[in-house]
Amino acid sequence: MTEPHDRLTQISELAARWQKLMQDKLQQQASGAPQVQIPDPQSVQHAFEALWRVVLEKPEPMLRAQMQFWMDYADMAQAAMRQFWLGEAAQSVAQPDKRFKDELWVNNQVFGFVKQAYLLASRHIQDSVSGVDGLDEHTAQRVQFYTRQFVDAMAPTNFLATNPVALKATLESGGENLIKGFAHLLEDLERNGGRMMPRMTDLDAFTLGENVATTPGKVVFQNELMQLIQYAPLTDKVHKTPLLVVPPWINKFYILDLKPKNSLIRWLVEQGHTVFVISWVNPDGRHRDKGFEHYMTEGTLAALDAIQAATGEKQINAAAYCIGGTLLSATLAWMAAAKDKRYPPNRIKSAAFFTTMIDFSEPGELGVFIDEEQLGSLDAYMEEKGYLEGHQMAGVFNLLRENDLIWSFVINNYLLGREPMPFDLLYWNCDSTRMPAAMHRFYLRKMYLENVLKDPGGVTLAGVPIDMRAIKTPAYFISAREDHIAPWQSTYAGARLLQGPVRFVLGGSGHIAGIVNPPSANKYGYATNAALPTTPQQWLADSSAHEGSWWMDWAQWVLPHQGKPVAARQPGAGELPAIEDAPGSYVKAKL
């Protein structure tokens, strides 16, 4: 343990740092610098005002819910008394979750009661809110989402006095865990400009190009929006048709190249593909006017021309992830409509879409943040800044899994005073990117708010109205059953818009693990169905289950499109000289 004198010195230093942080925060607020809060406090207020108006008009359902709560609470209290006085086995009125996995929550009667009381109250609060009739769908979704955030924030695990694990650590260390935890809090506040964003992993444990994003290759082309990486072959022969991977520009491409054993990029190279990957710029104010169409012209279309210069091949296969897939679908529709001789539709022989939404009718919980009121606040902020900060986008995604991505680290880092473990996936998750104002405004309004990408002529790119139904390119859709960012029911609706041959596959797990699922792991499995019936429920009911990774299914599907074997192509050996080693410099730009 730390000596008393040293501990006092530590506390004094921490107090001084805290005071400086508070002064800086007050100065920032007084400066009038543009600020936006996500979620918007006014949106939260208006949602609950609407809730209480409905409740006051029809109070009976809420009163019945309150009566049921007190009856359940009485049952729980009686069970606790019988356990205490008669030694009966503990009975769960509410089922616990992994937050309460420590044996102290079971073996200690006091904390067992605290746990049961919390779980019972949280269940009733959320059920009461979701059971209110009379709210429009969007308001009801917001109320339920914000209620869940409140309930999870108030969990006894998040407070020292009601967390037996934290209390035990405090007693055993003489309070050193709290001093370390306060130091961690200050470090996070200092690093994030006064924002409380708990560190998820050891940020010094990873270096791009050394222990993440290590697949060898060269940057062979770059412009204002992207670098194009060509990866070095790992086979003597390669398929004639190159493969272009279009990743999302929300976060960075190396989610597909974390480490050799789970790198999709490396696996593709090992299968004999000449792989090109777009590495998007991390934009700043200079890119404020870069719109969605610029991501097409300076992204996918520019990549087509660069790949032709590098390999001599005019045709490619393409694979795209999340918003990258939305861009790829828009590019294909534009190529079908534009009649531009440089970019006939057959330049892309096949297209694979990873967790890609084209029809945004059911955007999942991201829809909570999409309405005119909230987008108006974002527009004003981006108009002044020129971009949306990466931490704001990261905060939205963290709220979708708040217990895993926020509160677990509050407990580990602040209450227990522990260092977060090195984890490459969480390092990538923390490596956020900004969004250019013009692009993000267009994307949120046209796709999410108005949902017109699915409509003929609903979106115009580079002066050309586009229609998804004009796409005849063979398409492969892979979605994930537990995806909370691109719900598979929505991706399925988008897949049915395309008029060429479409294969829809449903993998297990979520938005990341469902895609980064190498065959060697033999996890999750996937479902297939040769037909595309009207509803996703019907598709699932008639589907066939398969073991293993969808990667192997796609490999079989793409066989007819990959061309004959040719001599392996070295990056920089064609008309495009190598600029620098992969993963390039764009991906290394930090916020």
Side-chain angles (χ1 to χ4, degrees):
M1 290 188 181
T2 306
E3 294 296 326
H5 179 269
D6 294 335
R7 181 173 294 178
L8 288 173
T9 302
Q10 277 184 303
I11 294 173
S12 176
E13 292 173 351
L14 293 174
R17 289 167 61 188
W18 175 261
Q19 185 177 16
K20 183 179 184 305
L21 275 167
M22 294 302 99
Q23 290 172 346
D24 292 345
K25 190 66 176 178
L26 290 172
Q27 289 175 0
Q28 182 187 39
Q29 292 175 343
S31 69
Q35 297 184 41
V36 65
Q37 290 179 275
I38 303 175
D40 185 346
Q42 284 193 333
S43 174
V44 179
Q45 176 185 337
H46 294 164
F48 281 99
E49 285 175 351
L51 170 71
W52 287 115
R53 281 196 297 270
V54 170
V55 169
L56 290 173
E57 290 173 2
K58 298 179 180 179
E60 294 83 4
M62 187 66 74
L63 291 173
R64 285 195 296 269
Q66 286 288 306
M67 181 64 69
Q68 186 61 52
F69 167 73
W70 288 114
M71 292 171 63
D72 289 347
Y73 191 88
D75 291 342
M76 182 191 69
Q78 289 177 5
M81 293 296 291
R82 288 195 299 269
Q83 180 191 6
F84 181 77
W85 292 109
L86 304 177
E88 293 184 5
Q91 296 182 3
S92 294
V93 177
Q95 292 299 315
D97 55 36
K98 62 184 179 181
R99 290 174 292 177
F100 302 94
K101 64 183 179 181
D102 192 278
E103 62 181 14
L104 288 171
W105 289 106
V106 177
N107 298 336
N108 186 291
Q109 292 182 0
V110 173
F111 288 110
F113 183 82
V114 170
K115 172 192 70 177
Q116 289 294 324
Y118 164 74
L119 290 171
L120 180 66
S122 67
R123 189 190 74 199
H124 271 280
I125 290 170
Q126 293 182 85
D127 288 350
S128 298
V129 166
S130 62
V132 171
D133 292 326
L135 293 173
D136 65 83
E137 184 177 352
H138 179 60
T139 302
Q141 184 185 35
R142 284 189 296 157
V143 167
Q144 292 169 31
F145 180 82
Y146 297 141
T147 299
R148 193 188 81 211
Q149 299 301 319
F150 169 77
V151 164
D152 288 339
M154 297 304 294
T157 48
N158 300 336
F159 300 91
L160 175 64
T162 51
N163 185 328
V165 182
L167 285 173
K168 182 181 177 183
T170 303
L171 292 173
E172 290 177 347
S173 69
E176 285 193 19
N177 60 307
L178 301 181
I179 295 174
K180 290 179 180 178
F182 189 47
H184 291 162
L185 171 62
L186 292 178
E187 290 168 8
D188 290 339
L189 292 171
E190 289 165 348
R191 187 180 63 256
N192 296 307
R195 297 178 299 274
M196 197 194 84
M197 298 179 66
R199 191 160 46 103
M200 298 180 182
T201 186
D202 182 353
L203 299 177
D204 297 322
F206 301 98
T207 302
L208 293 178
E210 294 183 11
N211 54 1
V212 287
T214 60
T215 302
K218 303 285 184 182
V219 174
V220 295
F221 174 81
Q222 68 182 38
N223 58 27
E224 287 188 346
L225 272 185
M226 64 93 165
Q227 287 187 318
L228 186 67
I229 301 169
Q230 179 181 352
Y231 286 92
L234 296 173
T235 54
D236 293 333
K237 297 285 187 178
V238 297
H239 308 304
K240 184 174 186 291
T241 307
L243 174 66
L244 171 64
V245 177
V246 185
W249 51 91
I250 301 172
N251 287 107
K252 298 180 179 179
F253 82 88
Y254 65 89
I255 184 59
L256 302 175
D257 191 27
L258 286 176
K259 50 193 172 188
K261 71 176 184 179
N262 66 356
S263 169
L264 176 60
I265 290 172
R266 185 179 183 88
W267 183 84
L268 291 169
V269 175
E270 290 172 345
Q271 307 313 302
H273 293 279
T274 302
V275 177
F276 291 83
V277 174
I278 291 176
S279 174
W280 299 104
V281 73
N282 197 350
D284 54 33
R286 295 170 296 175
H287 304 89
R288 64 181 305 129
D289 296 323
K290 294 292 185 182
F292 195 84
E293 66 180 25
H294 294 102
Y295 277 76
M296 179 184 74
T297 57
E298 299 175 38
T300 45
L301 296 181
L304 279 174
D305 294 337
I307 292 171
Q308 182 177 4
T311 66
E313 294 296 326
K314 192 169 184 178
Q315 290 184 302
I316 67 161
N317 292 306
Y321 194 178
C322 192
I323 189 176
T326 306
L327 174 65
L328 177 60
S329 68
T331 302
L332 289 167
W334 181 88
M335 293 168 76
K339 311 300 181 185
D340 189 321
K341 294 181 179 179
R342 298 170 299 167
Y343 304 110
N346 65 0
R347 285 198 69 176
I348 299 179
K349 295 172 66 175
S350 74
F353 299 93
F354 307 164
T355 62
T356 293
M357 288 202 297
I358 301 172
D359 183 334
F360 289 72
S361 300
E362 298 180 38
E365 288 191 326
L366 284 176
V368 166
F369 305 98
I370 306 298
D371 54 53
E372 192 62 53
E373 179 183 31
Q374 294 183 85
L375 294 190
S377 298
L378 276 182
D379 286 348
Y381 175 85
M382 292 191 295
E383 181 64 28
E384 188 161 349
K385 292 279 288 188
Y387 54 84
L388 184 68
E389 289 281 9
H391 70 80
Q392 290 157 338
M393 286 297 300
V396 168
F397 290 120
N398 290 346
L399 285 173
L400 302 183
R401 293 177 55 200
E402 65 280 3
N403 285 324
D404 291 333
L405 297 179
I406 299 175
W407 298 113
S408 66
F409 297 105
V410 168
I411 296 165
N412 182 80
N413 301 5
Y414 303 158
L415 294 185
L416 300 179
R418 297 171 181 167
E419 295 287 342
M421 297 291 291
F423 189 12
D424 52 8
L425 176 60
L426 290 177
Y427 176 81
W428 167 84
N429 189 63
C430 295
D431 195 4
S432 303
T433 54
R434 305 179 190 92
M435 300 291 111
M439 184 287 302
H440 206 53
R441 185 182 301 114
F442 180 93
Y443 177 61
L444 292 181
R445 288 189 175 278
K446 293 298 182 182
M447 278 61 160
Y448 278 96
L449 184 65
E450 300 173 19
N451 188 27
V452 292
L453 182 63
K454 64 178 175 51
D455 300 330
V459 165
T460 297
L461 297 177
V464 177
I466 63 174
D467 182 1
M468 292 294 144
R469 294 156 187 80
I471 298 174
K472 305 295 194 296
T473 305
Y476 182 100
F477 281 77
I478 170 67
S479 297
R481 194 180 297 251
E482 300 169 21
D483 195 337
H484 58 288
I485 294 173
W488 78 269
Q489 295 86 349
S490 286
T491 65
Y492 181 80
R496 295 188 74 252
L497 294 173
L498 278 59
Q499 296 301 301
V502 174
R503 181 172 178 80
F504 187 87
V505 177
L506 183 62
S509 196
H511 194 72
I512 302 300
I515 299 303
V516 184
N517 182 27
S520 59
N522 195 30
K523 293 186 345 186
Y524 306 133
Y526 59 96
T528 61
N529 185 345
L532 287 177
T534 305
T535 67
Q537 293 77 17
Q538 186 179 351
W539 181 94
L540 184 61
D542 297 336
S543 66
S544 301
H546 306 272
E547 297 293 327
S549 170
W550 67 268
W551 293 12
M552 303 303 295
D553 185 74
W554 173 83
Q556 288 297 311
W557 178 86
V558 83
L559 274 174
H561 310 292
Q562 61 193 23
K564 64 183 181 181
V566 298
R569 308 173 176 111
Q570 295 297 329
E575 293 182 15
L576 298 180
I579 297 173
E580 60 181 324
D581 289 337
S585 54
Y586 282 19
V587 74
K588 296 178 181 178
K590 300 287 185 180
L591 296 184

